[in-house]
Amino acid sequence: SRGAAQGAISYACPSAGSTTLPISPADGVTTIRLPRVSPSNGLCLLTRQNASTGGERVPASRSYAGRDWERSPGELSKTGSGLVVDCSQGSAMECDVTLPALEPGFEYILESHTYDISEEAEAARFLEQATFGATRETIDAMTSSR
């Protein structure tokens, strides 16, 4: 459906493990509106790929765990690539993504994934970020107190 701002077309992230129909700016639409991914274990990727083989995949943008859309690291994140992510327009739950022009034979797709992390792995990750590292004792202490 057409968004209100700048003629952006709204797309929804597909259910986990599936992809959307191709998104092609060839029809003159270069800005799409994407919802923020709300599940804490959710990830939605906007990817450029070869339309006939599904290969030559280049990540463009991503949203995960309730965060705004952002440029994905890689070729399309470089200044001057044409990829622009703007989360200041529209509602707080959506972002506008301006897509670079595609070479012939390429398309953009949206794909969703979920991930699960064990309580121990979550504790270890927290300790790695907040301290000088996790030990078995500190992980056990964090997970046994829950």
Side-chain angles (χ1 to χ4, degrees), residues 6 20-21 25 56 60-61 69 78-79 84 86 90 93 102 119 130 133 135 138 145-146:
Q6 304 165 1
T20 62
L21 295 173
E56 303 174 66
S61 190
W69 281 85
K78 296 176 183 172
T79 303
V84 177
D86 181 5
M93 298 302 292
L102 286 169
E119 194 173 308
T135 64
T138 56
S145 64
R146 290 186 182 188

Side-chain angles (χ1 to χ4, degrees), residues 13-99:
C13 290
S15 57
S18 60
T19 59
T20 62
L21 295 173
I23 300 167
S24 177
D27 60 4
V29 176
T30 58
T31 301
I32 61 174
R33 179 159 295 143
L34 299 171
R36 220 181 320 163
V37 173
S38 55
S40 62
N41 68 337
L43 167 69
C44 188
L45 298 167
L46 175 65
T47 305
R48 183 187 73 194
Q49 71 177 13
N50 184 302
S52 57
T53 67
E56 303 174 66
R57 297 168 58 91
V58 175
S61 190
R62 65 187 177 194
S63 175
Y64 58 96
R67 299 176 197 262
D68 285 340
W69 281 85
E70 62 187 19
R71 291 176 172 201
S72 293
E75 178 183 326
L76 294 176
S77 69
K78 296 176 183 172
T79 303
S81 71
L83 178 69
V84 177
V85 179
D86 181 5
C87 297
S88 66
Q89 303 294 320
S91 78
M93 298 302 292
E94 297 177 318
C95 296
D96 288 345
V97 178
T98 302
L99 302 169

